[in-house]
Amino acid sequence: MKHLAAYCLLVLGGNASPSKKDVEALLKASGVTADSASLDVMMTRLEGKSIPELIKEGSGKMASMPAGGAAPAGGATAGGAGPAAPEKEQEKEAEPEGDVDMGDLFGGGDDDY
């Protein structure tokens, strides 16, 4: 992923077809080491292709994918045992609100508000 990001940054910077050395130089300048084998595979796959066309093609594929989960239709019960018993609501015990000492959180130590 870092190799592709560097490649795309070089394209955005005006280099229409960056070389392997260009990508390695950008990664090195960024303080990141390049994985030579992964970079070779990426460069082979990108050879002769333009990034804007690949992005356009990928966007078309992403648009055709369903996004978000569909809610299940109907509430089928497990085992067919009939309607489920209504759940009892549990009442929460109210905690008493009191003055909480923050232990001189902001310094000062005096209580002159």
Side-chain angles (χ1 to χ4, degrees), residues 55-92:
I55 291 172
K56 186 176 181 181
E57 181 183 322
S59 296
K61 289 180 181 179
M62 293 294 289
S64 67
M65 291 178 53
T77 59
E87 294 182 21
K88 295 180 181 178
E89 293 184 26
Q90 296 179 358
E91 294 184 26
K92 295 182 181 179

PDB file of all heavy atoms in Angstrom, residues 55-92:
ATOM      1  N   ILE A  55      -8.152   4.480 -11.658  1.00  0.00           N
ATOM      2  CA  ILE A  55      -9.072   4.963 -10.625  1.00  0.00           C
ATOM      3  C   ILE A  55     -10.495   5.000 -11.173  1.00  0.00           C
ATOM      4  O   ILE A  55     -11.444   4.598 -10.496  1.00  0.00           O
ATOM      5  CB  ILE A  55      -8.629   6.344 -10.107  1.00  0.00           C
ATOM      6  CG1 ILE A  55      -7.334   6.201  -9.312  1.00  0.00           C
ATOM      7  CG2 ILE A  55      -9.721   6.996  -9.266  1.00  0.00           C
ATOM      8  CD1 ILE A  55      -6.693   7.512  -8.898  1.00  0.00           C
ATOM      9  N   LYS A  56     -10.643   5.457 -12.405  1.00  0.00           N
ATOM     10  CA  LYS A  56     -11.970   5.512 -13.026  1.00  0.00           C
ATOM     11  C   LYS A  56     -12.556   4.105 -13.159  1.00  0.00           C
ATOM     12  O   LYS A  56     -13.723   3.875 -12.851  1.00  0.00           O
ATOM     13  CB  LYS A  56     -11.869   6.180 -14.396  1.00  0.00           C
ATOM     14  CG  LYS A  56     -13.193   6.417 -15.063  1.00  0.00           C
ATOM     15  CD  LYS A  56     -13.015   7.170 -16.377  1.00  0.00           C
ATOM     16  CE  LYS A  56     -14.349   7.428 -17.025  1.00  0.00           C
ATOM     17  NZ  LYS A  56     -14.206   8.127 -18.313  1.00  0.00           N
ATOM     18  N   GLU A  57     -11.735   3.159 -13.592  1.00  0.00           N
ATOM     19  CA  GLU A  57     -12.176   1.771 -13.732  1.00  0.00           C
ATOM     20  C   GLU A  57     -12.562   1.181 -12.373  1.00  0.00           C
ATOM     21  O   GLU A  57     -13.586   0.518 -12.227  1.00  0.00           O
ATOM     22  CB  GLU A  57     -11.043   0.944 -14.357  1.00  0.00           C
ATOM     23  CG  GLU A  57     -11.389  -0.512 -14.577  1.00  0.00           C
ATOM     24  CD  GLU A  57     -10.194  -1.286 -15.135  1.00  0.00           C
ATOM     25  OE1 GLU A  57      -9.451  -0.725 -15.962  1.00  0.00           O
ATOM     26  OE2 GLU A  57     -10.014  -2.444 -14.728  1.00  0.00           O
ATOM     27  N   GLY A  58     -11.744   1.441 -11.363  1.00  0.00           N
ATOM     28  CA  GLY A  58     -12.023   0.928 -10.020  1.00  0.00           C
ATOM     29  C   GLY A  58     -13.262   1.555  -9.412  1.00  0.00           C
ATOM     30  O   GLY A  58     -14.024   0.889  -8.706  1.00  0.00           O
ATOM     31  N   SER A  59     -13.491   2.840  -9.697  1.00  0.00           N
ATOM     32  CA  SER A  59     -14.687   3.512  -9.181  1.00  0.00           C
ATOM     33  C   SER A  59     -15.944   2.883  -9.762  1.00  0.00           C
ATOM     34  O   SER A  59     -16.952   2.736  -9.072  1.00  0.00           O
ATOM     35  CB  SER A  59     -14.656   5.003  -9.518  1.00  0.00           C
ATOM     36  OG  SER A  59     -13.581   5.623  -8.861  1.00  0.00           O
ATOM     37  N   GLY A  60     -15.892   2.514 -11.039  1.00  0.00           N
ATOM     38  CA  GLY A  60     -17.035   1.846 -11.665  1.00  0.00           C
ATOM     39  C   GLY A  60     -17.328   0.513 -11.012  1.00  0.00           C
ATOM     40  O   GLY A  60     -18.483   0.143 -10.805  1.00  0.00           O
ATOM     41  N   LYS A  61     -16.262  -0.222 -10.664  1.00  0.00           N
ATOM     42  CA  LYS A  61     -16.450  -1.510  -9.998  1.00  0.00           C
ATOM     43  C   LYS A  61     -17.010  -1.322  -8.597  1.00  0.00           C
ATOM     44  O   LYS A  61     -17.846  -2.096  -8.141  1.00  0.00           O
ATOM     45  CB  LYS A  61     -15.122  -2.271  -9.935  1.00  0.00           C
ATOM     46  CG  LYS A  61     -14.662  -2.781 -11.276  1.00  0.00           C
ATOM     47  CD  LYS A  61     -13.346  -3.512 -11.150  1.00  0.00           C
ATOM     48  CE  LYS A  61     -12.867  -4.001 -12.494  1.00  0.00           C
ATOM     49  NZ  LYS A  61     -11.582  -4.694 -12.395  1.00  0.00           N
ATOM     50  N   MET A  62     -16.530  -0.292  -7.895  1.00  0.00           N
ATOM     51  CA  MET A  62     -17.013  -0.034  -6.537  1.00  0.00           C
ATOM     52  C   MET A  62     -18.480   0.399  -6.549  1.00  0.00           C
ATOM     53  O   MET A  62     -19.222   0.076  -5.632  1.00  0.00           O
ATOM     54  CB  MET A  62     -16.158   1.041  -5.860  1.00  0.00           C
ATOM     55  CG  MET A  62     -14.733   0.618  -5.593  1.00  0.00           C
ATOM     56  SD  MET A  62     -14.602  -0.696  -4.385  1.00  0.00           S
ATOM     57  CE  MET A  62     -15.042   0.179  -2.905  1.00  0.00           C
ATOM     58  N   ALA A  63     -18.882   1.125  -7.579  1.00  0.00           N
ATOM     59  CA  ALA A  63     -20.268   1.601  -7.651  1.00  0.00           C
ATOM     60  C   ALA A  63     -21.240   0.440  -7.824  1.00  0.00           C
ATOM     61  O   ALA A  63     -22.388   0.522  -7.387  1.00  0.00           O
ATOM     62  CB  ALA A  63     -20.418   2.593  -8.790  1.00  0.00           C
ATOM     63  N   SER A  64     -20.787  -0.640  -8.450  1.00  0.00           N
ATOM     64  CA  SER A  64     -21.682  -1.767  -8.676  1.00  0.00           C
ATOM     65  C   SER A  64     -21.767  -2.705  -7.481  1.00  0.00           C
ATOM     66  O   SER A  64     -22.605  -3.602  -7.452  1.00  0.00           O
ATOM     67  CB  SER A  64     -21.234  -2.554  -9.906  1.00  0.00           C
ATOM     68  OG  SER A  64     -19.995  -3.183  -9.661  1.00  0.00           O
ATOM     69  N   MET A  65     -20.914  -2.489  -6.474  1.00  0.00           N
ATOM     70  CA  MET A  65     -20.939  -3.339  -5.284  1.00  0.00           C
ATOM     71  C   MET A  65     -22.008  -2.861  -4.317  1.00  0.00           C
ATOM     72  O   MET A  65     -22.181  -1.665  -4.122  1.00  0.00           O
ATOM     73  CB  MET A  65     -19.577  -3.290  -4.575  1.00  0.00           C
ATOM     74  CG  MET A  65     -18.480  -3.962  -5.333  1.00  0.00           C
ATOM     75  SD  MET A  65     -16.882  -3.829  -4.512  1.00  0.00           S
ATOM     76  CE  MET A  65     -17.220  -4.423  -2.892  1.00  0.00           C
ATOM     77  N   PRO A  66     -22.728  -3.784  -3.700  1.00  0.00           N
ATOM     78  CA  PRO A  66     -23.698  -3.354  -2.692  1.00  0.00           C
ATOM     79  C   PRO A  66     -22.966  -2.813  -1.466  1.00  0.00           C
ATOM     80  O   PRO A  66     -21.975  -3.376  -1.030  1.00  0.00           O
ATOM     81  CB  PRO A  66     -24.469  -4.630  -2.360  1.00  0.00           C
ATOM     82  CG  PRO A  66     -23.582  -5.751  -2.770  1.00  0.00           C
ATOM     83  CD  PRO A  66     -22.704  -5.224  -3.874  1.00  0.00           C
ATOM     84  N   ALA A  67     -23.453  -1.712  -0.975  1.00  0.00           N
ATOM     85  CA  ALA A  67     -22.831  -1.106   0.202  1.00  0.00           C
ATOM     86  C   ALA A  67     -23.827  -1.112   1.353  1.00  0.00           C
ATOM     87  O   ALA A  67     -24.974  -0.740   1.193  1.00  0.00           O
ATOM     88  CB  ALA A  67     -22.388   0.317  -0.100  1.00  0.00           C
ATOM     89  N   GLY A  68     -23.396  -1.520   2.487  1.00  0.00           N
ATOM     90  CA  GLY A  68     -24.267  -1.554   3.657  1.00  0.00           C
ATOM     91  C   GLY A  68     -24.992  -2.884   3.754  1.00  0.00           C
ATOM     92  O   GLY A  68     -25.283  -3.531   2.773  1.00  0.00           O
ATOM     93  N   GLY A  69     -25.273  -3.270   4.936  1.00  0.00           N
ATOM     94  CA  GLY A  69     -25.955  -4.536   5.145  1.00  0.00           C
ATOM     95  C   GLY A  69     -27.457  -4.356   5.083  1.00  0.00           C
ATOM     96  O   GLY A  69     -28.002  -3.365   5.540  1.00  0.00           O
ATOM     97  N   ALA A  70     -28.106  -5.302   4.492  1.00  0.00           N
ATOM     98  CA  ALA A  70     -29.561  -5.265   4.424  1.00  0.00           C
ATOM     99  C   ALA A  70     -30.131  -5.886   5.695  1.00  0.00           C
ATOM    100  O   ALA A  70     -29.615  -6.868   6.208  1.00  0.00           O
ATOM    101  CB  ALA A  70     -30.043  -6.039   3.210  1.00  0.00           C
ATOM    102  N   ALA A  71     -31.185  -5.312   6.190  1.00  0.00           N
ATOM    103  CA  ALA A  71     -31.836  -5.844   7.383  1.00  0.00           C
ATOM    104  C   ALA A  71     -32.576  -7.116   6.994  1.00  0.00           C
ATOM    105  O   ALA A  71     -33.139  -7.215   5.913  1.00  0.00           O
ATOM    106  CB  ALA A  71     -32.802  -4.821   7.954  1.00  0.00           C
ATOM    107  N   PRO A  72     -32.573  -8.100   7.863  1.00  0.00           N
ATOM    108  CA  PRO A  72     -33.288  -9.330   7.541  1.00  0.00           C
ATOM    109  C   PRO A  72     -34.790  -9.072   7.463  1.00  0.00           C
ATOM    110  O   PRO A  72     -35.343  -8.304   8.244  1.00  0.00           O
ATOM    111  CB  PRO A  72     -32.942 -10.271   8.692  1.00  0.00           C
ATOM    112  CG  PRO A  72     -32.465  -9.389   9.797  1.00  0.00           C
ATOM    113  CD  PRO A  72     -31.918  -8.153   9.153  1.00  0.00           C
ATOM    114  N   ALA A  73     -35.411  -9.688   6.501  1.00  0.00           N
ATOM    115  CA  ALA A  73     -36.854  -9.515   6.322  1.00  0.00           C
ATOM    116  C   ALA A  73     -37.589 -10.419   7.298  1.00  0.00           C
ATOM    117  O   ALA A  73     -37.423 -11.624   7.285  1.00  0.00           O
ATOM    118  CB  ALA A  73     -37.244  -9.844   4.896  1.00  0.00           C
ATOM    119  N   GLY A  74     -38.412  -9.855   8.124  1.00  0.00           N
ATOM    120  CA  GLY A  74     -39.195 -10.648   9.078  1.00  0.00           C
ATOM    121  C   GLY A  74     -38.345 -11.127  10.230  1.00  0.00           C
ATOM    122  O   GLY A  74     -37.151 -11.196  10.164  1.00  0.00           O
ATOM    123  N   GLY A  75     -38.982 -11.486  11.298  1.00  0.00           N
ATOM    124  CA  GLY A  75     -38.262 -11.947  12.480  1.00  0.00           C
ATOM    125  C   GLY A  75     -38.474 -13.428  12.679  1.00  0.00           C
ATOM    126  O   GLY A  75     -39.282 -13.835  13.498  1.00  0.00           O
ATOM    127  N   ALA A  76     -37.775 -14.245  11.933  1.00  0.00           N
ATOM    128  CA  ALA A  76     -37.921 -15.683  12.080  1.00  0.00           C
ATOM    129  C   ALA A  76     -37.370 -16.117  13.426  1.00  0.00           C
ATOM    130  O   ALA A  76     -36.311 -15.682  13.849  1.00  0.00           O
ATOM    131  CB  ALA A  76     -37.162 -16.400  10.963  1.00  0.00           C
ATOM    132  N   THR A  77     -38.106 -16.968  14.101  1.00  0.00           N
ATOM    133  CA  THR A  77     -37.654 -17.441  15.410  1.00  0.00           C
ATOM    134  C   THR A  77     -36.838 -18.709  15.245  1.00  0.00           C
ATOM    135  O   THR A  77     -37.102 -19.531  14.385  1.00  0.00           O
ATOM    136  CB  THR A  77     -38.846 -17.729  16.338  1.00  0.00           C
ATOM    137  OG1 THR A  77     -39.667 -18.716  15.718  1.00  0.00           O
ATOM    138  CG2 THR A  77     -39.646 -16.481  16.599  1.00  0.00           C
ATOM    139  N   ALA A  78     -35.870 -18.885  16.070  1.00  0.00           N
ATOM    140  CA  ALA A  78     -35.026 -20.071  16.021  1.00  0.00           C
ATOM    141  C   ALA A  78     -35.784 -21.245  16.602  1.00  0.00           C
ATOM    142  O   ALA A  78     -36.322 -21.177  17.695  1.00  0.00           O
ATOM    143  CB  ALA A  78     -33.742 -19.836  16.796  1.00  0.00           C
ATOM    144  N   GLY A  79     -35.831 -22.323  15.874  1.00  0.00           N
ATOM    145  CA  GLY A  79     -36.470 -23.526  16.375  1.00  0.00           C
ATOM    146  C   GLY A  79     -37.989 -23.523  16.223  1.00  0.00           C
ATOM    147  O   GLY A  79     -38.647 -24.499  16.531  1.00  0.00           O
ATOM    148  N   GLY A  80     -38.573 -22.463  15.768  1.00  0.00           N
ATOM    149  CA  GLY A  80     -40.012 -22.405  15.540  1.00  0.00           C
ATOM    150  C   GLY A  80     -40.822 -22.595  16.803  1.00  0.00           C
ATOM    151  O   GLY A  80     -41.866 -23.225  16.785  1.00  0.00           O
ATOM    152  N   ALA A  81     -40.399 -22.081  17.929  1.00  0.00           N
ATOM    153  CA  ALA A  81     -41.058 -22.303  19.198  1.00  0.00           C
ATOM    154  C   ALA A  81     -42.216 -21.344  19.439  1.00  0.00           C
ATOM    155  O   ALA A  81     -42.815 -21.366  20.488  1.00  0.00           O
ATOM    156  CB  ALA A  81     -40.055 -22.180  20.335  1.00  0.00           C
ATOM    157  N   GLY A  82     -42.513 -20.483  18.491  1.00  0.00           N
ATOM    158  CA  GLY A  82     -43.607 -19.551  18.682  1.00  0.00           C
ATOM    159  C   GLY A  82     -43.081 -18.170  19.019  1.00  0.00           C
ATOM    160  O   GLY A  82     -41.889 -17.907  18.975  1.00  0.00           O
ATOM    161  N   PRO A  83     -43.984 -17.280  19.403  1.00  0.00           N
ATOM    162  CA  PRO A  83     -43.552 -15.912  19.677  1.00  0.00           C
ATOM    163  C   PRO A  83     -42.676 -15.848  20.929  1.00  0.00           C
ATOM    164  O   PRO A  83     -42.876 -16.581  21.892  1.00  0.00           O
ATOM    165  CB  PRO A  83     -44.858 -15.158  19.886  1.00  0.00           C
ATOM    166  CG  PRO A  83     -45.874 -16.185  20.202  1.00  0.00           C
ATOM    167  CD  PRO A  83     -45.434 -17.446  19.540  1.00  0.00           C
ATOM    168  N   ALA A  84     -41.717 -14.967  20.866  1.00  0.00           N
ATOM    169  CA  ALA A  84     -40.794 -14.808  21.990  1.00  0.00           C
ATOM    170  C   ALA A  84     -41.475 -14.043  23.113  1.00  0.00           C
ATOM    171  O   ALA A  84     -42.329 -13.197  22.889  1.00  0.00           O
ATOM    172  CB  ALA A  84     -39.548 -14.058  21.538  1.00  0.00           C
ATOM    173  N   ALA A  85     -41.090 -14.364  24.340  1.00  0.00           N
ATOM    174  CA  ALA A  85     -41.648 -13.674  25.493  1.00  0.00           C
ATOM    175  C   ALA A  85     -41.087 -12.259  25.546  1.00  0.00           C
ATOM    176  O   ALA A  85     -39.923 -12.040  25.263  1.00  0.00           O
ATOM    177  CB  ALA A  85     -41.286 -14.427  26.767  1.00  0.00           C
ATOM    178  N   PRO A  86     -41.931 -11.284  25.903  1.00  0.00           N
ATOM    179  CA  PRO A  86     -41.428  -9.914  25.978  1.00  0.00           C
ATOM    180  C   PRO A  86     -40.383  -9.790  27.084  1.00  0.00           C
ATOM    181  O   PRO A  86     -40.506 -10.394  28.141  1.00  0.00           O
ATOM    182  CB  PRO A  86     -42.671  -9.082  26.293  1.00  0.00           C
ATOM    183  CG  PRO A  86     -43.655 -10.044  26.854  1.00  0.00           C
ATOM    184  CD  PRO A  86     -43.338 -11.377  26.266  1.00  0.00           C
ATOM    185  N   GLU A  87     -39.352  -9.021  26.782  1.00  0.00           N
ATOM    186  CA  GLU A  87     -38.284  -8.840  27.757  1.00  0.00           C
ATOM    187  C   GLU A  87     -38.721  -7.855  28.838  1.00  0.00           C
ATOM    188  O   GLU A  87     -39.403  -6.890  28.573  1.00  0.00           O
ATOM    189  CB  GLU A  87     -37.028  -8.299  27.071  1.00  0.00           C
ATOM    190  CG  GLU A  87     -36.412  -9.275  26.097  1.00  0.00           C
ATOM    191  CD  GLU A  87     -35.140  -8.729  25.483  1.00  0.00           C
ATOM    192  OE1 GLU A  87     -34.540  -7.819  26.067  1.00  0.00           O
ATOM    193  OE2 GLU A  87     -34.762  -9.222  24.422  1.00  0.00           O
ATOM    194  N   LYS A  88     -38.311  -8.158  30.059  1.00  0.00           N
ATOM    195  CA  LYS A  88     -38.627  -7.264  31.166  1.00  0.00           C
ATOM    196  C   LYS A  88     -37.622  -6.122  31.176  1.00  0.00           C
ATOM    197  O   LYS A  88     -36.441  -6.331  30.987  1.00  0.00           O
ATOM    198  CB  LYS A  88     -38.554  -8.008  32.505  1.00  0.00           C
ATOM    199  CG  LYS A  88     -39.594  -9.086  32.644  1.00  0.00           C
ATOM    200  CD  LYS A  88     -39.457  -9.757  33.986  1.00  0.00           C
ATOM    201  CE  LYS A  88     -40.472 -10.864  34.141  1.00  0.00           C
ATOM    202  NZ  LYS A  88     -40.313 -11.563  35.424  1.00  0.00           N
ATOM    203  N   GLU A  89     -38.132  -4.930  31.381  1.00  0.00           N
ATOM    204  CA  GLU A  89     -37.246  -3.784  31.450  1.00  0.00           C
ATOM    205  C   GLU A  89     -36.610  -3.736  32.837  1.00  0.00           C
ATOM    206  O   GLU A  89     -37.285  -3.866  33.842  1.00  0.00           O
ATOM    207  CB  GLU A  89     -38.016  -2.495  31.196  1.00  0.00           C
ATOM    208  CG  GLU A  89     -38.527  -2.380  29.781  1.00  0.00           C
ATOM    209  CD  GLU A  89     -39.202  -1.038  29.547  1.00  0.00           C
ATOM    210  OE1 GLU A  89     -38.864  -0.066  30.245  1.00  0.00           O
ATOM    211  OE2 GLU A  89     -40.060  -0.980  28.673  1.00  0.00           O
ATOM    212  N   GLN A  90     -35.317  -3.570  32.841  1.00  0.00           N
ATOM    213  CA  GLN A  90     -34.610  -3.480  34.105  1.00  0.00           C
ATOM    214  C   GLN A  90     -34.455  -2.013  34.466  1.00  0.00           C
ATOM    215  O   GLN A  90     -34.031  -1.201  33.662  1.00  0.00           O
ATOM    216  CB  GLN A  90     -33.233  -4.117  33.996  1.00  0.00           C
ATOM    217  CG  GLN A  90     -33.294  -5.607  33.718  1.00  0.00           C
ATOM    218  CD  GLN A  90     -31.894  -6.181  33.605  1.00  0.00           C
ATOM    219  OE1 GLN A  90     -30.915  -5.464  33.703  1.00  0.00           O
ATOM    220  NE2 GLN A  90     -31.818  -7.484  33.403  1.00  0.00           N
ATOM    221  N   GLU A  91     -34.855  -1.721  35.696  1.00  0.00           N
ATOM    222  CA  GLU A  91     -34.731  -0.347  36.155  1.00  0.00           C
ATOM    223  C   GLU A  91     -33.345  -0.146  36.742  1.00  0.00           C
ATOM    224  O   GLU A  91     -32.856  -0.961  37.515  1.00  0.00           O
ATOM    225  CB  GLU A  91     -35.795  -0.041  37.211  1.00  0.00           C
ATOM    226  CG  GLU A  91     -37.209  -0.059  36.665  1.00  0.00           C
ATOM    227  CD  GLU A  91     -38.217   0.334  37.732  1.00  0.00           C
ATOM    228  OE1 GLU A  91     -37.834   1.049  38.670  1.00  0.00           O
ATOM    229  OE2 GLU A  91     -39.369  -0.078  37.602  1.00  0.00           O
ATOM    230  N   LYS A  92     -32.731   0.951  36.345  1.00  0.00           N
ATOM    231  CA  LYS A  92     -31.407   1.260  36.863  1.00  0.00           C
ATOM    232  C   LYS A  92     -31.566   2.071  38.142  1.00  0.00           C
ATOM    233  O   LYS A  92     -32.424   2.930  38.244  1.00  0.00           O
ATOM    234  CB  LYS A  92     -30.615   2.079  35.845  1.00  0.00           C
ATOM    235  CG  LYS A  92     -30.314   1.305  34.576  1.00  0.00           C
ATOM    236  CD  LYS A  92     -29.498   2.144  33.639  1.00  0.00           C
ATOM    237  CE  LYS A  92     -29.209   1.375  32.358  1.00  0.00           C
ATOM    238  NZ  LYS A  92     -28.437   2.196  31.422  1.00  0.00           N
TER     239      LYS A  92
END
